[in-house]
Amino acid sequence: MTNRIAVLGSINVDTTYHVTRFPQPGETISANDKSSAPGGKGANQAVAAARSGAQLSFIGMVGEDNEGKFMREALQEDGIDTKFLKNDPRHGTGAAVITLDANGQNDIMVYPGANFGMDESLLAGTEDLLEKVDFLIAQFETPQAVTAAAFKLAKEHGVVTILNPAPAKEILPELLAVTDVVIPNESESEVLTGIAVDSEEAMLKTAEYFKDHGVANLLITLGSRGVFYSTPHGHGIVPAFKVKAIDTTAAGDTFIGALTSQLRKDLSNVADALVYAQRASSLTVQRMGAMPSIPTASEVQAALND
């Protein structure tokens, strides 16, 4: 069965500067190389899900500029429906500047642009779409109020809502109330709850925190330690695949998109879906760039069969 997914999210054009090491405050260093590629957390997650066989629709905004045209075409190349990708006449397309060091670690500076030009009028006409999809995914590179309105609408149509609270910031209570699955990484989880996820006991305590705020399902990505999950079906840690990372950009986005492409709506297969998602993410970090590094279903299956 093919999962039908809508992503409400961010679109950025990524420019990556390749350096031997990160500069110190006030220091000027030379970049060894420079590259540009389509990206943004929302776009990356949509492409990851589409490349793993899901049927995708995208809800978002770009500027009336060449970058917006470039990003629209990039999504369409992966078979993603862009009917609800609107143009913002006031702001340029979102952009990110990424500094990547020789160890594959990065830091990122984002210009939100049209991503934060969204308001609830963007959702006009999306009811027909939400009647047909299984999952709606969103992140924090777009306004929370729009996400809350979209999730509320999605819940009215029986859609499973997935929130990736990145970059971490306080979550609106009304958004948590209509979120089915929350997926932070370990640092985001600590920012959101004040609980350091340094043990399974702490992770279970974090799961209780989110349950108390209305979210029944928690996944915490733990980098090289794997991923912790807590759902009504049980809890546990699925280990990561050991690989040599050369660029961690879009690793988390690949994980979320690939995971959602495999999940059943009742999350009964969460452990198996997590293994698939972990494998997909492990391939992404062995390649350069955001969207260009995201693997296809056949690549993930081949790696799982190795």
Side-chain angles (χ1 to χ4, degrees):
M1 180 178 168
T2 300
N3 280 355
R4 299 162 299 175
I5 301 169
V7 174
L8 168 66
S10 56
I11 282 182
N12 296 323
V13 176
D14 293 345
T15 300
T16 301
Y17 291 87
H18 304 256
V19 298
T20 303
R21 60 175 178 81
F22 295 125
Q24 298 298 311
E27 181 185 16
T28 299
I29 64 172
S30 294
N32 303 319
D33 198 4
K34 173 188 172 185
S35 57
S36 294
K41 297 190 75 63
N44 292 339
Q45 291 172 16
V47 166
R51 290 183 186 171
S52 278
Q55 180 181 315
L56 263 293
S57 297
F58 198 90
I59 305 168
M61 294 194 81
V62 292
E64 293 181 337
D65 47 28
N66 289 333
E67 289 81 4
K69 182 172 182 289
F70 168 69
M71 290 302 304
R72 186 183 298 274
E73 291 172 351
L75 293 178
Q76 291 170 348
E77 284 174 8
D78 276 288
I80 297 169
D81 178 11
T82 58
K83 176 182 177 182
F84 294 102
L85 178 57
K86 305 298 185 181
N87 288 341
D88 183 347
R90 300 162 299 162
H91 306 96
T93 299
V97 175
I98 302 166
T99 308
L100 177 68
D101 76 5
N103 297 315
Q105 294 300 308
N106 62 40
D107 59 21
I108 303 174
M109 181 171 62
V110 176
Y111 161 68
N115 294 312
F116 265 81
M118 294 182 189
D119 58 32
E120 292 182 32
S121 67
L122 180 68
L123 304 177
T126 59
E127 286 217 41
D128 287 345
L129 170 64
L130 294 174
E131 285 177 354
K132 300 170 186 173
V133 302
D134 303 304
F135 299 91
L136 174 61
I137 305 172
Q139 324 78 36
F140 275 178
E141 289 183 340
T142 53
Q144 282 195 47
V146 179
T147 301
F151 275 21
K152 183 178 179 182
L153 196 59
K155 295 300 296 172
E156 292 172 3
H157 294 283
V159 177
V160 176
T161 54
I162 298 178
L163 180 65
N164 173 217
K169 60 188 75 173
E170 185 176 353
I171 307 177
L172 294 174
E174 58 265 36
L175 175 55
L176 280 173
V178 286
T179 297
D180 292 312
V181 186
V182 62
I183 312 179
N185 65 24
E186 52 194 323
S187 60
E188 291 156 357
S189 179
E190 184 173 355
V191 168
L192 294 168
T193 67
I195 303 167
V197 289
D198 51 8
S199 67
E200 190 164 356
E201 181 183 2
M203 296 172 204
L204 288 168
K205 188 176 178 183
T206 302
E208 287 302 316
Y209 172 93
F210 280 109
K211 285 177 189 173
D212 290 344
H213 288 78
V215 186
N217 304 282
L218 169 68
L219 309 177
I220 307 174
T221 56
L222 304 168
S224 61
R225 289 189 289 160
V227 58
F228 167 82
Y229 69 93
S230 174
T231 78
H233 298 286
H235 68 270
I237 294 176
V238 176
F241 290 88
K242 304 300 182 186
V243 298
K244 179 172 174 54
I246 64 169
D247 183 0
T248 57
T249 308
D253 297 332
T254 298
F255 172 85
I256 290 167
L259 172 77
T260 310
S261 76
Q262 306 299 305
L263 270 181
R264 297 186 189 128
K265 284 187 72 174
D266 64 359
L267 272 66
S268 59
N269 68 331
V270 64
D272 289 340
L274 285 170
V275 171
Y276 179 94
Q278 290 276 72
R279 198 44 159 151
S281 185
S282 78
L283 295 177
T284 292
V285 301
Q286 296 178 73
R287 304 168 177 177
M288 297 299 299
M291 206 174 286
S293 70
I294 298 170
T296 62
S298 60
E299 290 173 325
V300 178
Q301 289 296 347
L304 285 169
N305 294 333
D306 277 351

